[in-house]
C-alpha cells in the first residue's frame, strides 16, 4: 500500500510541475507549484517510511558496500581456488577410453517375470566361474514375506532391503523385487569376501571395476534414465515408509566408451547401451546400488 501511495504522489509531483511550467497566469503557477511541493513532501515522507520498514535488508548491504569502497581488494590479492570437478573424467582416473567385457547373457523370462536381480547376479557369478542358475538363486535369495495390503491408509508391503518382496514367478500376484543387501549376501555364499558391495559410492567406481575386468551388478529402472516423481509410490513397511517404483530393474554393466554404458539386460537377448549421463542419473535415483567381485 505504501509503495502505491509513493508512486501516486511521485507521479502527481511530476504532473503538477509540468502544469506549473505551462501555466500562463501567475495565480495558476502558484497553485501548481504549491501543490507540487505538497505532493513532493508526501513522496519523501513515504520513501523514508519504506526505507525504515526495510532497513534490515538494505542497511547491511549498504554497510558492506561502504567497507568495500574504503578497503578495495586488488585482483592479485584474491585467493585462488582449485575447483574440484563434479564428475571425474575418465582421463583423470587414468582409465582406457573404452572397455567391453563378454559376460553370459541370461534372460529372466519366461520363468522369472520379476527375477531381474537374481538373473543379473547369475550372469555376474557365471562370469566368475560359478556354475549356478537363475532359478537356484531365485530359490535361495532371502524373502520378505510380508503380505500385500492396501486400504485407506495406503499400501503395506515388504521391504526390498530385507529380501525379495512378493511373487517372483507370476505377474498375476503382488510382487516387486529386491535391493542390493540380500543380493550381496547371496553372492557371498558363493564367492565369500571377494564380493564387494559398493552401494552408495561414486558412479565412476563402476568404470574402475570394468577396467579391472569385472562387470558390475546394479539397480536402475526400465527406461535407463531419471524417472519423474509420478512414477514413485510410498509403501508402509515394518521399518517405516519407503518410496518405490514399479519400473525398478537390475542389469549387469559390462562396458563403456566415451558416450555410452553397455550392459546385459535380463529382458533383452542382445547387449544394450544407454547414454552415460542418463544411465548415471537413473542409478543415482535408485539409490546408487552396485555390487561386483574382486580378484
Amino acid at each position: 500500500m505504501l509503495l502505491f501511495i509513493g508512486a501516486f504522489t511521485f507521479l502527481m509531483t511530476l504532473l503538477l510541475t509540468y502544469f506549473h511550467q505551462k501555466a500562463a497566469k501567475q495565480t495558476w503557477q502558484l497553485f501548481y507549484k504549491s501543490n507540487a511541493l505538497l505532493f513532493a513532501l508526501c513522496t519523501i515522507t513515504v520513501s523514508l517510511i519504506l526505507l525504515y520498514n526495510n532497513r534490515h535488508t538494505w542497511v547491511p548491504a549498504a554497510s558492506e558496500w561502504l567497507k568495500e569502497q574504503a578497503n578495495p581488494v586488488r585482483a592479485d590479492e584474491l585467493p585462488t581456488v582449485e575447483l574440484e570437478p563434479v564428475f571425474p573424467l575418465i582421463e583423470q582416473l587414468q582409465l582406457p577410453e573404452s572397455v567391453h567385457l563378454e559376460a553370459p547373457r541370461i534372460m529372466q523370462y519366461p520363468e522369472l517375470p520379476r527375477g531381474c536381480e537374481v538373473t543379473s547376479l547369475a550372469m555376474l557369478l557365471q562370469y566368475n566361474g560359478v556354475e549356478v542358475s537363475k532359478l537356484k538363486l531365485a530359490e535361495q535369495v532371502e524373502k520378505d514375506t510380508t503380505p500385500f495390503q492396501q486400504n485407506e491408509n495406503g499400501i503395506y508391503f515388504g521391504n526390498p532391503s530385507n529380501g525379495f518382496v512378493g511373487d517372483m514367478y507370476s505377474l498375476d500376484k503382488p510382487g516387486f523385487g529386491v535391493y542390493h543387501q540380500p543380493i550381496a549376501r547371496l553372492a557371498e555364499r558363493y564367492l565369500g569376501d571377494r564380493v564387494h558391495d559398493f552401494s552408495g559410492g561414486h558412479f565412476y567406481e563402476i568404470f574402475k571395476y570394468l577396467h579391472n575386468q569385472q562387470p558390475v551388478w546394479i539397480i536402475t529402472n526400465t527406461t535407463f534414465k531419471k524417472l519423474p516423481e509420478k512414477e514413485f509410490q510410498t509403501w508402509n513397511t515394518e521399518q517405516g515408509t519407503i518410496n518405490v517404483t514399479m519400473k525398478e530393474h537390475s542389469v549387469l554393466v559390462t562396458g563403456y566408451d566415451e558416450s555410452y554404458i553397455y550392459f546385459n539386460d535380463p529382458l533383452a537377448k542382445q547387449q544394450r547401451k544407454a547414454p552415460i549421463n542418463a544411465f548415471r542419473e537413473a542409478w543415482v535415483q535408485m539409490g546408487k546400488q552396485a555390487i561386483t567381485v574382486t580378484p
Side-chain angles (χ1 to χ4, degrees):
M1 187 64 182
L2 281 174
L3 190 61
F4 173 78
I5 295 173
F8 174 76
T9 56
F10 178 72
L11 288 174
M12 288 300 298
T13 302
L14 294 178
L15 284 172
L16 290 168
T17 302
Y18 173 78
F19 289 137
H20 167 261
Q21 294 175 349
K22 295 294 184 180
K25 295 183 179 181
Q26 187 174 3
T27 53
W28 282 109
Q29 289 179 349
L30 181 61
F31 172 81
Y32 289 132
K33 183 177 181 180
S34 59
N35 281 279
L37 290 173
L38 179 61
F39 277 103
L41 182 61
C42 291
T43 301
I44 294 172
T45 303
V46 171
S47 299
L48 290 174
I49 294 173
L50 286 171
L51 287 173
Y52 179 81
N53 289 343
N54 294 277
R55 63 190 182 281
H56 299 297
T57 301
W58 66 268
V59 169
S63 299
E64 188 66 27
W65 182 82
L66 289 173
K67 289 179 182 178
E68 291 177 357
Q69 300 308 307
N71 300 288
V73 179
R74 300 195 312 271
D76 58 358
E77 294 177 337
L78 292 173
T80 57
V81 179
E82 184 176 352
L83 297 178
E84 182 180 355
V86 178
F87 303 113
L89 300 176
I90 293 176
E91 294 83 355
Q92 291 176 310
L93 295 174
Q94 297 182 341
L95 299 178
E97 292 183 356
S98 66
V99 170
H100 296 278
L101 305 179
E102 285 296 328
R105 297 190 184 101
I106 305 174
M107 298 284 290
Q108 67 186 77
Y109 275 91
E111 299 92 345
L112 302 174
R114 291 197 183 97
C116 57
E117 301 93 350
V118 293
T119 303
S120 293
L121 177 60
M123 291 189 254
L124 176 63
L125 293 177
Q126 289 185 22
Y127 178 87
N128 283 278
V130 178
E131 293 300 325
V132 61
S133 70
K134 63 181 182 182
L135 294 176
K136 186 65 175 178
L137 295 175
E139 176 187 332
Q140 293 177 331
V141 70
E142 297 170 26
K143 314 291 194 305
D144 186 326
T145 58
T146 304
F148 176 85
Q149 300 178 53
Q150 185 171 11
N151 52 39
E152 65 276 4
N153 296 321
I155 296 174
Y156 190 88
F157 210 5
N159 189 332
S161 294
N162 294 338
F164 192 93
V165 176
D167 195 298
M168 195 186 310
Y169 303 94
S170 173
L171 297 179
D172 294 329
K173 300 177 182 178
F176 177 66
V178 62
Y179 286 166
H180 68 98
Q181 300 94 326
I183 291 294
R185 289 192 291 268
L186 178 56
E188 288 169 355
R189 294 175 61 174
Y190 292 93
L191 292 174
D193 57 8
R194 289 183 60 197
V195 175
H196 179 45
D197 184 349
F198 61 102
S199 299
H202 202 289
F203 179 71
Y204 283 84
E205 288 184 74
I206 295 174
F207 290 174
K208 180 180 70 175
Y209 292 113
L210 291 171
H211 171 58
N212 292 334
Q213 301 299 299
Q214 277 295 341
V216 179
W217 177 100
I218 64 108
I219 290 288
T220 179
N221 65 64
T222 53
T223 70
F224 309 111
K225 59 185 179 182
K226 187 176 180 179
L227 294 172
E229 289 300 319
K230 66 179 182 180
E231 295 292 348
F232 288 83
Q233 56 185 267
T234 300
W235 285 357
N236 298 298
T237 74
E238 290 185 1
Q239 290 73 39
T241 59
I242 60 173
N243 291 323
V244 301
T245 174
M246 301 312 291
K247 293 185 181 294
E248 182 265 352
H249 193 41
S250 175
V251 300
L252 186 72
V253 181
T254 58
Y256 68 86
D257 58 25
E258 292 182 351
S259 303
Y260 295 97
I261 284 282
Y262 295 83
F263 51 92
N264 288 3
D265 184 352
L267 294 175
K269 293 182 179 180
Q270 302 298 322
Q271 186 183 65
R272 301 188 65 181
K273 67 178 182 179
I276 289 177
N277 285 336
F279 193 89
R280 175 187 59 81
E281 289 178 350
W283 179 73
V284 170
Q285 187 181 45
M286 295 302 295
K288 299 183 176 182
Q289 303 183 61
I291 300 169
T292 191
V293 175
T294 58

